[in-house]
Amino acid sequence: QVQLVESGGGLAQAGGSLRLSCAASGQNFGTYVMGWFRQAPGTEHEREFVAAISWRGGITYYADSVKGRFTISRDNAKNTVYLQMNSLKSEDTAVYYCAAGAKVFYSRDYSVDGKYDYWGQGTQVTVSS
């Protein structure tokens, strides 16, 4: 069992930056693929993939919409995954969720929310233009 708690959300201006953190409790954090997803206003049943990182951090994936602006990283010693968000745009406004997956084995699975087993409660990011 893994509990995930996101932090770092808030209000930012377009062009600004925010850094999200996701702290995990429980065992074997280093064996989970970690992902960030987001849910924009008016899309209550759709979680959009943002970024994901492999167990040891050597492989990362990004949605095209955030590539070059966002960076995912992890510190297994601290049981924490991060999402550095730069050059924020109004369309980045959403609730951001951290997720952990124990059986994400293939590259095609990293962006699929159904492949993740545990989810945080989400943190709101609002970007004003």
Side-chain angles (χ1 to χ4, degrees):
Q1 192 80 7
V2 175
Q3 286 83 40
L4 303 173
V5 179
E6 302 98 334
S7 62
L11 178 65
Q13 291 189 332
S17 299
L18 284 174
R19 187 194 197 202
L20 305 184
S21 299
C22 173
S25 60
Q27 296 181 343
N28 303 318
F29 174 76
T31 65
Y32 290 91
V33 167
M34 299 300 296
W36 286 97
F37 292 77
R38 66 187 181 187
Q39 200 161 39
T43 62
E44 281 73 26
H45 302 294
E46 301 174 24
R47 276 185 299 213
E48 178 191 13
F49 169 73
V50 176
I53 189 166
S54 61
W55 307 326
R56 295 182 180 179
I59 300 173
T60 56
Y61 295 92
Y62 296 93
D64 288 343
S65 59
V66 307
K67 204 171 293 183
R69 300 189 297 121
F70 291 10
T71 302
I72 188 171
S73 62
R74 68 189 296 163
D75 185 338
N76 288 348
K78 296 182 178 180
N79 283 12
T80 302
V81 63
Y82 305 96
L83 185 68
Q84 177 67 43
M85 305 187 294
N86 298 329
S87 302
L88 284 163
K89 304 176 180 180
S90 58
E91 51 263 45
D92 294 321
T93 294
V95 178
Y96 283 71
Y97 297 92
C98 157
K103 298 180 180 178
V104 182
F105 298 127
Y106 304 105
S107 58
R108 64 177 181 264
D109 293 338
Y110 278 68
S111 62
V112 178
D113 59 354
K115 292 293 184 180
Y116 290 81
D117 306 292
Y118 304 102
W119 292 82
Q121 82 290 347
T123 185
Q124 176 71 47
V125 171
T126 303
V127 183
S128 63
S129 56

